[in-house]
Amino acid sequence: MAILLAALTALMSRATPVVAGDFEDAEAANKAGDYKKEFRLLKGLAEQGDADAQFNLGIMYANGEGVPKDYAKAAYWFLKAAEQGIAEAQNNLGTMYQYGEGVPKDYVQAYVWMSIAATQGNANAQKGKGTLKKEMTREQIAKGQELSSEYWEKYVVPFQKN
């Protein structure tokens, strides 16, 4: 899946956890290839609402690292992180909607999530949105633009740092 290659790079770049020690231990486990330990550490953080851990769990489920590959669970965790303003998760979720992986195929939702990620500067979302628009009707794009404004206010603005 295309989102995974780009997301792997982002995997190690996110480091603002609720419990730094657990997140750092999870990163070390990832580097050592101990995905079971990484999963155990991230799951606790993710369940406490840590967006970075949620994003990384999405990656693990999408790739089948330490857990069986499960796009529906990947989409679940990407959504949790996306709703907290994580652009990489928003892009990944948009891509999943574009291809119907783990979620129903929905170009409008794909457009919305990619749009807000692209506006935050995510290059993969900028490129993906351009490709996606070629497959959408004018009505779908209009609906996506309308929802993008709503999602921006709900899922990005509250998490922006001043």
Coordinates of all heavy atoms in Angstrom, one line a residue, residues 19-75:
V19 N 3.8 9.6 27.8 CA 4.8 9.0 28.7 C 6.1 8.8 27.8 O 6.2 7.8 27.1 CB 4.3 7.7 29.3 CG1 5.4 7.1 30.2 CG2 3.0 7.9 30.0
A20 N 7.0 9.7 27.9 CA 8.2 9.7 27.1 C 8.9 8.4 27.2 O 9.4 7.9 26.2 CB 9.1 10.9 27.4
G21 N 9.1 7.9 28.4 CA 9.9 6.6 28.5 C 9.3 5.5 27.8 O 10.0 4.8 27.1
D22 N 8.0 5.3 27.8 CA 7.3 4.2 27.1 C 7.4 4.4 25.6 O 7.7 3.5 24.8 CB 5.8 4.1 27.5 CG 5.6 3.5 28.8 OD1 6.6 3.0 29.4 OD2 4.5 3.5 29.3
F23 N 7.3 5.6 25.1 CA 7.4 5.9 23.7 C 8.8 5.7 23.2 O 9.0 5.1 22.2 CB 6.9 7.3 23.4 CG 6.6 7.5 21.9 CD1 5.4 7.2 21.4 CD2 7.6 8.0 21.0 CE1 5.1 7.3 20.1 CE2 7.3 8.1 19.7 CZ 6.1 7.8 19.2
E24 N 9.8 6.1 24.0 CA 11.2 5.9 23.6 C 11.5 4.4 23.6 O 12.2 3.9 22.8 CB 12.1 6.7 24.6 CG 12.0 8.2 24.4 CD 12.7 9.0 25.5 OE1 13.1 8.4 26.5 OE2 12.7 10.2 25.4
D25 N 11.0 3.7 24.6 CA 11.2 2.3 24.6 C 10.5 1.6 23.4 O 11.1 0.6 22.8 CB 10.6 1.7 25.9 CG 11.4 2.0 27.2 OD1 12.5 2.5 27.0 OD2 10.9 1.8 28.3
A26 N 9.4 2.1 23.0 CA 8.7 1.6 21.8 C 9.5 1.8 20.6 O 9.7 1.0 19.7 CB 7.3 2.2 21.7
E27 N 10.1 3.0 20.5 CA 11.0 3.4 19.3 C 12.2 2.4 19.3 O 12.6 1.9 18.2 CB 11.5 4.8 19.4 CG 10.5 5.8 19.1 CD 11.0 7.2 19.1 OE1 11.7 7.6 20.1 OE2 10.8 8.0 18.2
A28 N 12.8 2.2 20.5 CA 14.0 1.3 20.6 C 13.6 -0.1 20.2 O 14.3 -0.8 19.4 CB 14.5 1.3 22.0
A29 N 12.4 -0.6 20.6 CA 11.9 -1.9 20.2 C 11.7 -2.0 18.7 O 12.0 -3.0 18.1 CB 10.6 -2.2 20.9
N30 N 11.2 -0.9 18.1 CA 11.0 -0.9 16.6 C 12.3 -1.0 15.9 O 12.5 -1.8 15.0 CB 10.3 0.4 16.2 CG 10.2 0.5 14.7 OD1 11.1 1.0 14.0 ND2 9.1 0.2 14.2
K31 N 13.3 -0.3 16.4 CA 14.7 -0.3 15.7 C 15.3 -1.7 15.9 O 16.0 -2.1 15.0 CB 15.6 0.8 16.4 CG 15.2 2.2 15.9 CD 16.1 3.2 16.5 CE 15.6 4.6 16.1 NZ 16.4 5.7 16.8
A32 N 15.0 -2.4 17.0 CA 15.5 -3.7 17.2 C 14.7 -4.8 16.5 O 15.1 -6.0 16.6 CB 15.6 -4.0 18.7
G33 N 13.6 -4.4 15.9 CA 12.7 -5.4 15.3 C 11.9 -6.1 16.2 O 11.2 -7.1 15.8
D34 N 11.7 -5.7 17.5 CA 10.9 -6.3 18.5 C 9.5 -5.7 18.4 O 9.1 -4.9 19.3 CB 11.5 -6.2 19.9 CG 10.8 -7.0 20.9 OD1 9.7 -7.6 20.6 OD2 11.3 -7.1 22.0
Y35 N 8.8 -6.1 17.4 CA 7.5 -5.4 17.2 C 6.4 -5.8 18.2 O 5.5 -5.0 18.5 CB 6.9 -5.8 15.8 CG 7.9 -5.3 14.7 CD1 8.4 -6.2 13.8 CD2 8.3 -4.0 14.6 CE1 9.3 -5.8 12.8 CE2 9.1 -3.5 13.6 CZ 9.6 -4.4 12.7 OH 10.5 -4.0 11.7
K36 N 6.5 -7.0 18.8 CA 5.6 -7.4 19.9 C 5.7 -6.4 21.1 O 4.7 -6.0 21.6 CB 5.8 -8.8 20.3 CG 5.6 -9.8 19.2 CD 4.3 -10.5 19.3 CE 4.2 -11.6 18.3 NZ 2.9 -11.6 17.6
K37 N 7.0 -6.2 21.4 CA 7.2 -5.2 22.6 C 6.7 -3.8 22.2 O 6.1 -3.1 23.0 CB 8.7 -5.2 23.0 CG 9.0 -4.3 24.1 CD 10.4 -4.4 24.5 CE 10.7 -3.4 25.7 NZ 12.1 -3.4 26.1
E38 N 7.1 -3.4 21.0 CA 6.7 -2.1 20.5 C 5.1 -2.0 20.6 O 4.6 -1.0 21.1 CB 7.1 -1.8 19.1 CG 6.7 -0.5 18.5 CD 7.0 -0.3 17.1 OE1 7.2 -1.3 16.4 OE2 6.9 0.8 16.6
F39 N 4.5 -3.0 20.1 CA 3.0 -2.9 20.1 C 2.5 -2.8 21.5 O 1.6 -2.0 21.8 CB 2.4 -4.2 19.4 CG 0.9 -4.3 19.5 CD1 0.2 -3.6 18.6 CD2 0.3 -5.0 20.4 CE1 -1.2 -3.6 18.6 CE2 -1.1 -5.1 20.5 CZ -1.8 -4.4 19.6
R40 N 3.0 -3.6 22.4 CA 2.5 -3.6 23.8 C 2.7 -2.2 24.4 O 1.8 -1.7 25.1 CB 3.3 -4.6 24.6 CG 2.9 -4.7 26.1 CD 3.6 -5.8 26.8 NE 5.1 -5.8 26.7 CZ 5.9 -4.9 27.3 NH1 5.4 -4.0 28.1 NH2 7.2 -4.9 27.1
L41 N 3.8 -1.6 24.2 CA 4.1 -0.3 24.7 C 3.2 0.8 24.1 O 2.6 1.7 24.8 CB 5.5 0.1 24.6 CG 6.5 -0.7 25.4 CD1 7.9 -0.5 24.9 CD2 6.4 -0.4 26.9
L42 N 3.0 0.7 22.8 CA 2.2 1.7 22.1 C 0.8 1.6 22.4 O 0.0 2.6 22.5 CB 2.4 1.6 20.6 CG 3.8 2.1 20.1 CD1 3.9 1.8 18.6 CD2 4.1 3.5 20.4
K43 N 0.3 0.4 22.5 CA -1.2 0.1 22.8 C -1.6 0.9 24.0 O -2.7 1.5 24.0 CB -1.4 -1.4 22.9 CG -2.9 -1.7 23.0 CD -3.4 -2.2 21.7 CE -4.7 -2.9 21.7 NZ -5.9 -2.5 22.2
G44 N -0.9 0.8 25.1 CA -1.2 1.5 26.3 C -1.3 3.0 26.2 O -2.2 3.6 26.6
L45 N -0.3 3.5 25.5 CA -0.3 5.0 25.2 C -1.4 5.4 24.3 O -2.1 6.4 24.5 CB 1.0 5.4 24.6 CG 2.3 5.3 25.5 CD1 3.5 5.5 24.6 CD2 2.2 6.3 26.6
A46 N -1.7 4.6 23.3 CA -2.8 4.9 22.3 C -4.1 4.9 23.0 O -5.0 5.7 22.8 CB -2.7 3.9 21.2
E47 N -4.3 3.9 23.9 CA -5.6 3.8 24.6 C -5.8 5.0 25.6 O -6.9 5.3 25.9 CB -5.7 2.5 25.3 CG -5.9 1.3 24.4 CD -5.9 0.0 25.0 OE1 -5.4 -0.2 26.2 OE2 -6.3 -1.0 24.3
Q48 N -4.7 5.6 26.0 CA -4.8 6.8 26.8 C -5.0 8.1 26.0 O -5.1 9.2 26.6 CB -3.5 7.0 27.7 CG -3.3 5.9 28.7 CD -1.9 6.0 29.3 OE1 -1.3 7.1 29.4 NE2 -1.3 4.8 29.7
G49 N -5.0 7.9 24.7 CA -5.2 9.1 23.8 C -4.0 9.7 23.2 O -4.1 10.8 22.5
D50 N -2.8 9.1 23.3 CA -1.6 9.6 22.7 C -1.7 9.5 21.2 O -1.7 8.4 20.6 CB -0.4 8.9 23.3 CG 0.9 9.5 22.7 OD1 1.2 9.2 21.6 OD2 1.5 10.3 23.4
A51 N -1.8 10.6 20.5 CA -1.9 10.6 19.0 C -0.7 10.0 18.3 O -0.9 9.3 17.3 CB -2.1 12.1 18.5
D52 N 0.5 10.2 18.8 CA 1.6 9.6 18.1 C 1.6 8.1 18.2 O 1.9 7.4 17.3 CB 2.9 10.2 18.7 CG 3.1 11.7 18.5 OD1 2.8 12.1 17.3 OD2 3.5 12.4 19.4
A53 N 1.2 7.6 19.4 CA 1.1 6.2 19.6 C 0.0 5.6 18.7 O 0.1 4.5 18.1 CB 0.9 5.8 21.0
Q54 N -1.1 6.3 18.6 CA -2.2 5.9 17.7 C -1.8 5.8 16.3 O -2.0 4.8 15.6 CB -3.4 6.8 17.9 CG -4.0 6.8 19.3 CD -5.0 7.9 19.6 OE1 -5.0 9.0 18.9 NE2 -5.8 7.8 20.6
F55 N -1.0 6.8 15.8 CA -0.5 6.8 14.5 C 0.4 5.6 14.2 O 0.3 4.9 13.3 CB 0.2 8.1 14.2 CG 1.0 8.1 12.9 CD1 0.3 8.2 11.7 CD2 2.4 7.9 12.9 CE1 1.0 8.2 10.5 CE2 3.0 7.9 11.6 CZ 2.4 8.0 10.5
N56 N 1.3 5.4 15.2 CA 2.2 4.3 15.0 C 1.5 2.9 15.1 O 1.9 2.0 14.4 CB 3.4 4.4 16.0 CG 4.3 5.5 15.7 OD1 4.4 6.0 14.6 ND2 5.1 5.9 16.7
L57 N 0.5 2.8 15.9 CA -0.3 1.5 15.8 C -0.9 1.3 14.5 O -1.0 0.2 14.0 CB -1.4 1.5 16.9 CG -0.9 1.1 18.3 CD1 -2.1 1.1 19.3 CD2 -0.2 -0.2 18.4
G58 N -1.4 2.4 13.9 CA -2.0 2.3 12.5 C -1.0 1.8 11.6 O -1.3 0.9 10.7
I59 N 0.3 2.3 11.7 CA 1.3 1.8 10.8 C 1.6 0.3 11.0 O 1.7 -0.5 10.1 CB 2.7 2.6 11.1 CG1 2.5 4.0 10.7 CG2 3.8 1.9 10.3 CD1 2.3 4.3 9.2
M60 N 1.6 -0.1 12.3 CA 1.9 -1.5 12.6 C 0.8 -2.4 12.0 O 1.1 -3.5 11.4 CB 2.0 -1.7 14.1 CG 3.2 -1.0 14.7 SD 3.5 -1.4 16.5 CE 4.2 -3.0 16.3
Y61 N -0.5 -2.0 12.2 CA -1.6 -2.8 11.6 C -1.6 -2.8 10.1 O -1.8 -3.8 9.5 CB -2.9 -2.3 12.1 CG -3.3 -2.9 13.5 CD1 -3.4 -2.1 14.6 CD2 -3.6 -4.3 13.6 CE1 -3.7 -2.6 15.8 CE2 -3.9 -4.8 14.9 CZ -4.0 -4.0 16.0 OH -4.3 -4.5 17.2
A62 N -1.2 -1.7 9.5 CA -1.2 -1.6 8.0 C -0.1 -2.5 7.5 O -0.2 -3.1 6.4 CB -1.0 -0.2 7.6
N63 N 1.0 -2.6 8.2 CA 2.2 -3.4 7.7 C 2.2 -4.8 8.2 O 3.0 -5.6 7.8 CB 3.5 -2.7 8.1 CG 3.7 -1.4 7.4 OD1 3.2 -1.2 6.3 ND2 4.5 -0.5 7.9
G64 N 1.4 -5.1 9.2 CA 1.4 -6.4 9.9 C 2.7 -6.6 10.7 O 3.3 -7.7 10.6
E65 N 3.2 -5.6 11.4 CA 4.4 -5.7 12.2 C 4.0 -5.9 13.6 O 3.5 -5.1 14.3 CB 5.2 -4.4 12.1 CG 5.7 -4.1 10.7 CD 6.4 -2.8 10.6 OE1 6.1 -1.9 11.4 OE2 7.2 -2.6 9.7
G66 N 4.2 -7.1 14.1 CA 3.9 -7.5 15.5 C 2.5 -7.9 15.7 O 2.1 -8.3 16.8
V67 N 1.7 -7.7 14.7 CA 0.2 -8.0 14.7 C -0.1 -8.5 13.3 O 0.5 -8.1 12.4 CB -0.6 -6.7 15.1 CG1 -0.4 -6.3 16.5 CG2 -0.4 -5.6 14.1
P68 N -1.2 -9.2 13.2 CA -1.7 -9.6 11.9 C -2.1 -8.3 11.1 O -2.6 -7.3 11.7 CB -2.9 -10.4 12.1 CG -2.8 -10.9 13.6 CD -2.0 -9.8 14.3
K69 N -1.8 -8.3 9.8 CA -2.1 -7.1 9.0 C -3.7 -7.0 9.0 O -4.4 -8.0 8.8 CB -1.7 -7.4 7.5 CG -1.9 -6.1 6.6 CD -1.4 -6.4 5.2 CE 0.1 -6.2 5.2 NZ 0.7 -6.2 3.9
D70 N -4.1 -5.8 9.3 CA -5.5 -5.5 9.5 C -5.8 -4.1 9.1 O -5.6 -3.2 9.9 CB -6.0 -5.8 10.9 CG -7.5 -5.8 11.1 OD1 -8.2 -5.0 10.4 OD2 -8.0 -6.5 12.0
Y71 N -6.3 -3.8 7.9 CA -6.5 -2.5 7.4 C -7.6 -1.8 8.2 O -7.6 -0.6 8.4 CB -6.8 -2.5 5.9 CG -5.6 -2.8 5.1 CD1 -5.8 -3.6 3.9 CD2 -4.3 -2.4 5.4 CE1 -4.7 -3.9 3.1 CE2 -3.2 -2.7 4.6 CZ -3.4 -3.5 3.5 OH -2.3 -3.8 2.7
A72 N -8.6 -2.5 8.7 CA -9.7 -1.9 9.4 C -9.2 -1.4 10.8 O -9.5 -0.2 11.2 CB -10.8 -2.9 9.7
K73 N -8.3 -2.1 11.4 CA -7.7 -1.6 12.7 C -6.7 -0.5 12.4 O -6.6 0.5 13.2 CB -7.0 -2.8 13.4 CG -8.0 -3.7 14.1 CD -7.3 -4.8 14.8 CE -8.4 -5.7 15.4 NZ -7.8 -6.9 16.1
A74 N -6.0 -0.6 11.3 CA -5.1 0.5 10.9 C -5.9 1.8 10.7 O -5.6 2.9 11.2 CB -4.4 0.2 9.6
A75 N -7.0 1.7 10.0 CA -7.9 2.9 9.8 C -8.4 3.4 11.1 O -8.5 4.6 11.3 CB -9.0 2.5 8.8

